[in-house]
Amino acid sequence: MRAAVCIAIVMSFLTMNIFPQQQPNPLPAQETIGIGALIIPMDNAKQQRLGIPFDLRAYGLANHLLQNNVPLKWAIKPNKSKDDTDFTATVSRFAGGDGSASGTLSFSGGPFIVAAEYAAIAKGLITAFNASLGGAGVTVYEVTTASVQVDIRYNLDHKPLIAIGPDGGNFGTGVHQDLFDEAAIPDYTSVTDESMQKDSCYTIATQAHSTSTLWVSSYNAFVRNGGNLLLQCASINTFENNPTFGLFQTTAGYSVFGVNADNATTGPLVYPNGYMPFNQFIGELNGNQQGAISDYRLAPGSAFRPNTQIAARHTTGSIQNIPNGTDIPSTDLVATVTKYENAGRPGGYVFELGGHDYDRVPGDPNAFSNALNDINGRRMILNTLFVPVTRPCSELQIPQVRGYKWVSQTTDPDGNGLDQGDTVTWTVVYTNVGEAAVSNFQIEDILPAGIALTATGAQTVTVSGAGTSATKNAAYTGAGNNNLLSAGAILAKNGKITVTIPTTITVLEGIFKNWPTASGGGMPESGVRTDDLDDNDTVVYAGGNVHPVGSIDQTVWQDPNSSVLEPTVIAILGPSAAESSIVGRVQTTGGIGISGARLALTNATTGETRSAITNSFGLYTFEGLETGSFYVMSVSHKRYRFADAQRAFTLNDNISGFDFIANPGFGEDASVKAPKPSK
């Protein structure tokens, strides 16, 4: 073994050559983790299994949730020392058999969190995952009593997709395959080196013991294009010390040492950056690692590249010659990480870890180790799978919901069409047309003044589709913020929620607009949005065709940040003479008349249809209309769109000022000047 020199001032010199991977600057504000959120503990006391110090299948559960489109939060307290508490919360145990059943508990080791709005979906996945394992399964807690402020290092929205490269064949074959199987992570592919390309559909590539330099350039391109790379044992020498396509962490490589060469450093380790994701494990790492390369240090003339960080190092080392002629002490490294930069554009992370099998008993390659310091080596490898990366094919599926609504006249006692005293039913339907379930789905539908709930009818919420669940919060009153679905309700793939609201018209006349809105977990902030109305849309009334009013996957004409759906419009006007007229104007939002707009007016009672075209001032007129009849009017223009393009109403008197206003951003809009009147 190499002689060990213990010098207390080691790190003061080393840090002069290290450019740490920075935490977010400024550090993000703490996030509120609400009641009902789920916590996957990652400290030993709460995540044991049958006497094993830590159950690696906790990583498998985190992966399982991500693979099923449930995003996670990775809680790591900034600037903490290793093993420090990340946060404290009042919880009860939802799943698993180890750890406290309930109470105010401290969590450390980088726990994973499921936000409350995804908890309903996650609970079913957790139960099924644990059932597949047998026994008590992975421990999961639920936040109770009060929300808690938590430092979130990463919001995880990618699915780990793992490419395991060849590991030397005759030495330790299946190192990473065996580990991922142990952790219940099936989402890996054993690849050939030549199959790795810069756009390969993986989030991380791993090399446990590569000795071939032939395809280092391919992995280099993968990292430059944003993929993460884990190099372990002999792979550090093969990749890092490749002068053409390596040098991920250094300017001139590492000097490497290992058990096989009988020159490894042994003894205790320190962890200078306990807050880094690589270091999220509780306790010590084996300071006597097995393998061809168990530790390494800067080669003569080499220096660390920017964004390189030490995860674990020995406390003792040898004398290293620095190019300036000054001999300074240097400790030997066991684990490091670099955020790779590609010509100013961010690449992926490169993790390097000394040691080979962290499940082998030293001196007995056939014996399996469950010692905590060996489990922690396996944890470091598993931590790399969850460090965020943007890669093709890895993004979580975003829920997609399409909404419809219509209004129908239920009763008409006097036979005069829609008027005071008639019963009208508003119906709203939402269907999940995407691949991912929507959690915490909320609908809000406030009735306008002049429309009241019927005395005998009841608002109803019905759901259909496997896995869909929804319950009404409380009786719908038509005023205030009435969320029709309870928190935690799920709209599963192909699930459908139908809301029916029977109402009575309580006034003699008026124009009523109804805007239902919807939002749900995993959907864009804008929620369900309105689609673009056109001439093919059908006015819906008295049991007519369903009119689509919203879809998050279509281009919208209104403010894309708005969650207001296209209004369903009904109009009621007072009685008048036998014949009536309608006069109105079609104009821009700036008040400029739109010429050439086409108006179509249909008498729903007789089927007669009339048309009119606006003049140069945007004016139109319909005369000689049958009073008391029910009419449908629409407006269209080749360059403009209208939010209120179709209206249905009973004509009981002359109407003046029946205007249509175009949506902003279409046609010539306010830039068009009205023609001067002729002299």
Side-chain angles (χ1 to χ4, degrees):
M1 299 292 181
R2 282 177 291 140
V5 179
C6 182
I7 301 178
I9 59 173
V10 161
M11 279 310 294
S12 65
F13 286 98
L14 271 181
T15 52
M16 295 173 62
N17 297 315
I18 298 173
F19 302 87
Q21 170 196 328
Q22 297 297 318
Q23 295 193 80
N25 187 20
L27 294 174
Q30 291 184 321
E31 294 188 24
T32 300
I33 304 302
I35 296 173
L38 304 176
I39 302 171
I40 304 175
M42 300 302 285
D43 50 287
N44 305 333
K46 303 180 190 67
Q47 203 61 270
Q48 299 177 9
R49 175 169 64 95
L50 300 176
I52 298 174
F54 183 84
D55 188 354
L56 296 176
R57 300 177 303 178
Y59 289 98
L61 175 58
N63 172 72
H64 183 66
L65 293 172
L66 288 171
Q67 300 294 336
N68 284 277
N69 300 303
V70 175
L72 299 177
K73 297 178 181 293
W74 199 354
I76 304 175
K77 189 174 183 62
N79 298 319
K80 72 171 182 177
S81 297
K82 188 176 170 300
D83 299 354
D84 281 356
T85 295
D86 290 302
F87 67 93
T88 300
T90 302
V91 297
S92 62
R93 193 174 65 217
F94 167 73
D98 288 319
S100 301
S102 62
T104 300
L105 305 180
S106 294
F107 296 87
S108 56
F112 295 103
I113 298 174
V114 179
E117 60 264 31
Y118 285 94
I121 294 175
K123 283 182 175 180
L125 294 168
I126 292 167
T127 300
F129 180 84
N130 278 348
S132 71
L133 301 178
V138 175
T139 299
V140 179
Y141 289 95
E142 183 171 5
V143 176
T144 60
T145 307
S147 60
V148 59
Q149 299 298 306
V150 178
D151 292 292
I152 301 300
R153 179 65 184 269
Y154 294 125
N155 282 289
L156 304 181
D157 58 2
H158 79 283
K159 301 177 181 181
L161 303 173
I162 311 160
I164 303 177
D167 58 6
N170 61 349
F171 182 67
T173 301
V175 172
H176 289 166
Q177 290 91 335
D178 291 345
L179 170 58
F180 299 146
D181 288 343
E182 180 187 1
I185 297 177
D187 306 284
Y188 65 80
T189 303
S190 298
V191 302
T192 59
D193 284 336
E194 57 266 32
S195 68
M196 284 299 298
Q197 302 296 325
K198 69 175 184 178
D199 293 323
S200 295
C201 189
Y202 303 106
T203 59
I204 186 168
T206 72
Q207 291 280 0
H209 187 81
S210 175
T211 57
S212 172
T213 62
L214 184 59
W215 299 100
V216 173
S217 60
S218 296
Y219 287 89
N220 179 289
F222 177 76
V223 173
R224 285 178 177 272
N225 205 40
N228 291 346
L229 177 64
L230 169 65
L231 304 176
Q232 191 178 351
C233 198
S235 303
I236 296 174
N237 185 53
T238 301
F239 282 78
E240 181 65 37
N241 290 344
N242 184 296
T244 304
F245 297 107
L247 303 179
F248 297 102
Q249 298 185 343
T250 66
T251 59
Y254 287 125
S255 296
V256 296
F257 311 96
V259 173
N260 294 3
D262 198 29
N263 62 359
T265 298
T266 61
L269 304 174
V270 293
Y271 314 92
N273 301 292
Y275 56 83
M276 64 189 303
F278 211 10
N279 275 353
Q280 296 315 299
F281 58 91
I282 303 297
E284 298 298 320
L285 182 66
N286 192 336
N288 185 23
Q289 304 87 29
Q290 302 293 299
I293 296 176
S294 56
D295 48 279
Y296 49 95
R297 54 186 165 90
L298 287 172
S302 186
F304 289 108
R305 290 190 179 277
N307 301 319
T308 298
Q309 196 171 35
I310 294 175
R313 63 172 178 82
H314 285 282
T315 58
T316 59
S318 303
I319 299 298
Q320 178 181 352
N321 184 270
I322 299 301
N324 62 13
T326 303
D327 289 340
I328 64 171
S330 171
T331 57
D332 293 317
L333 310 173
V334 173
T336 48
V337 61
T338 294
K339 182 67 167 66
Y340 197 72
E341 297 295 332
N342 177 24
R345 294 183 292 109
Y349 287 91
V350 178
F351 304 90
E352 300 190 11
L353 175 64
H356 195 72
D357 284 355
Y358 277 88
D359 60 3
R360 290 193 302 169
V361 175
D364 186 354
N366 296 317
F368 185 82
S369 173
N370 266 325
L372 179 60
N373 60 1
D374 287 323
I375 288 177
N376 285 340
R378 276 124 71 189
R379 285 194 66 175
M380 292 190 78
I381 296 169
L382 294 170
N383 284 334
T384 68
L385 307 183
F386 296 90
V387 174
V389 60
T390 301
R391 297 289 297 160
C393 317
S394 69
E395 297 86 357
L396 302 190
Q397 294 285 338
I398 300 299
Q400 294 185 352
V401 176
R402 183 165 288 127
Y404 302 88
K405 81 168 176 280
W406 63 94
V407 58
S408 58
Q409 182 175 337
T410 305
T411 63
D412 181 16
D414 56 15
N416 291 332
L418 189 63
D419 56 15
Q420 185 181 31
D422 287 349
T423 301
V424 173
T425 298
W426 306 77
T427 303
V428 181
V429 176
Y430 290 96
T431 302
N432 185 355
V433 298
E435 295 297 318
V438 182
S439 60
N440 196 32
F441 192 73
Q442 302 288 316
I443 300 173
E444 184 174 277
D445 197 349
I446 300 175
L447 295 177
I451 300 292
L453 288 172
T454 60
T456 57
Q459 172 262 341
T460 62
V461 178
T462 58
V463 299
S464 60
T468 296
S469 63
T471 56
K472 183 173 55 177
N473 265 348
Y476 184 76
T477 62
N481 293 323
N482 294 278
N483 290 320
L484 302 186
L485 302 183
S486 61
I490 293 175
L491 184 61
K493 177 183 177 181
N494 296 325
K496 183 171 69 173
I497 296 177
T498 303
V499 181
T500 58
I501 307 171
T503 65
T504 300
I505 300 170
T506 62
V507 295
L508 288 174
E509 60 182 42
I511 296 178
F512 306 96
K513 297 185 179 182
N514 170 251
W515 289 274
T517 60
S519 62
M523 297 173 63
E525 291 183 2
S526 57
V528 179
R529 307 184 304 201
T530 305
D531 70 349
D532 190 2
L533 299 180
D534 55 43
D535 293 339
N536 295 322
D537 289 332
T538 303
V539 174
V540 178
Y541 195 80
N545 295 326
V546 175
H547 172 63
V549 297
S551 172
I552 68 169
D553 58 356
Q554 293 187 33
T555 302
V556 298
W557 50 255
Q558 67 182 59
D559 180 359
N561 294 317
S562 172
S563 60
V564 177
L565 303 187
E566 173 67 16
T568 301
V569 182
I570 61 175
I572 310 167
L573 302 169
S576 184
E579 290 188 349
S580 300
S581 64
I582 300 175
V583 177
R585 190 167 184 255
V586 180
Q587 60 189 29
T588 69
T589 54
I592 298 173
I594 299 174
S595 65
R598 180 177 295 275
L599 287 301
L601 180 67
T602 299
N603 186 324
T605 304
T606 64
E608 177 190 8
T609 297
R610 299 189 189 186
S611 63
I613 298 178
T614 58
N615 64 16
S616 59
F617 298 100
L619 297 172
Y620 74 90
T621 302
F622 288 102
E623 296 180 338
L625 303 177
E626 182 179 343
T627 302
S629 292
F630 180 71
Y631 285 91
V632 175
M633 183 186 291
S634 64
V635 62
S636 62
H637 193 281
K638 63 182 180 180
R639 291 196 306 274
Y640 292 88
R641 296 292 182 270
F642 301 85
D644 193 7
Q646 297 163 316
R647 302 176 185 177
F649 55 93
T650 299
L651 181 62
N652 290 322
D653 203 345
N654 296 324
I655 301 177
S656 178
F658 206 71
D659 299 341
F660 293 88
I661 300 176
N663 298 319
F666 278 81
E668 297 166 333
D669 204 9
S671 63
V672 178
K673 296 183 180 298
K676 295 180 180 180
S678 58
K679 295 182 179 180

